[in-house]
Amino acid sequence: MKGLGTIIQWPAEAIWEAVSPLLPTFSVEVVPEIDSTNTELMRRARAGQLEPVLLVAERQSAGRGRLGRNWSSGGGAIEAGEPLPSLTFSLGLPLTPLDWSGLSLAVGLSVVESLHPALQLKWPNDVWLQDRKMAGILIETASVGEVRYAVIGVGLNILPRDIQGLSMPPAALREVLPDMDAPTALARVAAPLVSAIRRFETEGFAPLRAAFHTRDLLYGRELVCSDGITGMARGVDASGALLVHTDTGLKKITSAEVSVRPISAPSALSAHRP
Ligand code: BTN
C-alpha cells in the first residue's frame, strides 16, 4: 500500500484487506496528482507490470473519457482540508472472461448498486442521477504476451459544480448523499467492484441483465444514436447489446464507439421492464 504525499485519509488498508483474498498480489496506491490513472496503468502494463492494482489520484491533469474526450475532475488546486470535487481511480488486473461483451455494463451496475438506489445507468456505462451525468467509466485493455490486462477507470463527481458553457451541469453524489466524500465513496465501491469483475469473468453479463434493466435510464425512451439510428430503447440483450425499436425493426447496438442520447422523458413503458 502506498499513499505518497497525500494528507487525505484514504481507506487503502480496508480495501486491501477485503480484496487481497480474491487477488493475492493486489495493491492499493494513492497519489496526489497524475496525468491520468488509466494512462498510467496502461503504461505500466505495456512495460510488463501486470499485477492487480487500484490506483487512486486526488487530481488528474489529463483525465481521459470515452470516445477520445477529456475528463475534468473539477476544481483547480485543492486546498488542505477541502473535500475533493471528485473521485478518480483505475483498477488494473489481468482478465480472462469467456466473453468480454457486457463488461462495461457489469462495472456500471456494480458502481451504482454500491452507492445509491436513485442512480441510473445510461448504456453502455454512464452513471446518471436525475437525468444528468454523475460518473463515467473508461475501460481499456492491453495485450502483453499471453495476458490481457484490463484497466477500468472510474470518475465520479462528489461535489456539485457549475461548468461554464454547459446548460446542464453534471450531477454530484452529494445531491443524494449530503455527507459523502471521495474516500467514503471509494470504500463503498472498490471491493464490490473487484467481486463483480471476478463474477463477470466466469458468468458473463447474462445473469446481470434483469438488474441492469432496473437501473436502465433509457428504457422506454426515444433516443438518437451518434450513428444516426433513432428509435425507442427496449433494454439490453443477454450480451449487453442495446436494443432499439426502430421504424425498420429491432436493432442491436454493440459498438462502444456509438453514443446514445435520450430525446424523450421516461415513458409508461419504463415501468414494465423485463
Ligand atoms: C467517460 O464518461 O467518458 C469516461 C470517464 C472516465 C474518467 C475516469 S477518471 C479515472 C480514469 N482516468 C482517466 O483518465 N479516465 C478515467
Side-chain angles (χ1 to χ4, degrees):
M1 253 161 304
K2 292 186 215 156
L4 299 177
T6 172
I7 51 167
I8 297 174
Q9 293 295 309
W10 288 97
E13 192 152 345
I15 293 170
W16 180 82
E17 274 171 12
V19 170
S20 52
L22 298 174
L23 299 174
T25 54
F26 177 70
S27 64
V28 180
E29 204 176 317
V30 182
V31 294
E33 179 159 351
I34 203 161
D35 51 356
S36 147
T37 52
N38 262 50
T39 303
E40 171 65 10
L41 293 191
M42 290 294 283
R43 265 193 302 257
R44 291 184 192 178
R46 291 189 191 109
Q49 291 182 46
L50 301 173
E51 294 79 24
V53 60
L54 178 72
L55 176 62
V56 184
E58 292 173 357
R59 196 176 132 77
Q60 293 186 126
S61 55
R64 294 187 293 110
R66 286 181 62 234
L67 309 171
R69 298 181 185 130
N70 296 331
W71 175 263
S72 157
S73 312
I78 295 144
E79 301 295 324
E82 267 185 28
L84 293 176
S86 60
L87 169 65
T88 50
F89 70 89
S90 299
L91 174 68
L93 73 174
L95 215 58
T96 51
L98 291 176
D99 182 356
W100 287 80
S101 52
L103 172 61
S104 67
L105 285 70
V107 169
L109 188 60
S110 171
V111 170
V112 298
E113 287 183 340
S114 297
L115 289 173
H116 196 275
L119 301 180
Q120 291 186 292
L121 291 162
K122 181 167 99 44
W123 188 92
N125 56 7
D126 283 353
V127 175
W128 281 41
L129 170 64
Q130 293 157 4
D131 253 19
R132 287 164 299 129
K133 181 163 170 169
M134 197 199 77
I137 293 162
L138 176 66
I139 301 182
E140 301 177 291
T141 62
S143 291
V144 185
E146 299 287 286
V147 179
R148 190 125 176 239
Y149 192 82
V151 175
I152 295 160
V154 178
L156 198 154
N157 300 323
I158 303 286
L159 305 184
R161 59 188 150 122
D162 257 345
I163 295 190
Q164 298 295 320
L166 273 191
S167 54
M168 188 77 90
L173 194 52
R174 281 222 179 153
E175 293 173 39
V176 281
L177 293 170
D179 297 328
M180 185 52 66
D181 57 23
T184 310
L186 182 71
R188 284 174 61 161
V189 164
L193 179 58
V194 173
S195 304
I197 291 167
R198 295 308 301 265
R199 241 184 351 264
F200 174 86
E201 218 173 1
T202 54
E203 298 173 9
F205 174 72
L208 302 173
R209 186 175 174 228
F212 184 88
H213 283 156
T214 66
R215 300 277 188 159
D216 185 356
L217 171 95
L218 298 174
Y219 201 97
R221 289 171 79 163
E222 295 292 333
L223 55 79
V224 57
C225 305
S226 56
D227 60 2
I229 291 178
T230 59
M232 182 180 279
R234 300 302 295 265
V236 296
D237 73 6
S239 72
L242 179 66
L243 301 173
V244 184
H245 188 78
T246 73
D247 288 346
T248 55
L250 195 65
K251 295 256 181 326
K252 283 187 184 188
I253 300 176
T254 52
S255 171
E257 300 305 309
V258 174
S259 64
V260 295
R261 182 163 57 84
I263 52 175
S264 71
S267 74
L269 186 68
S270 69
H272 305 284
R273 301 161 190 238

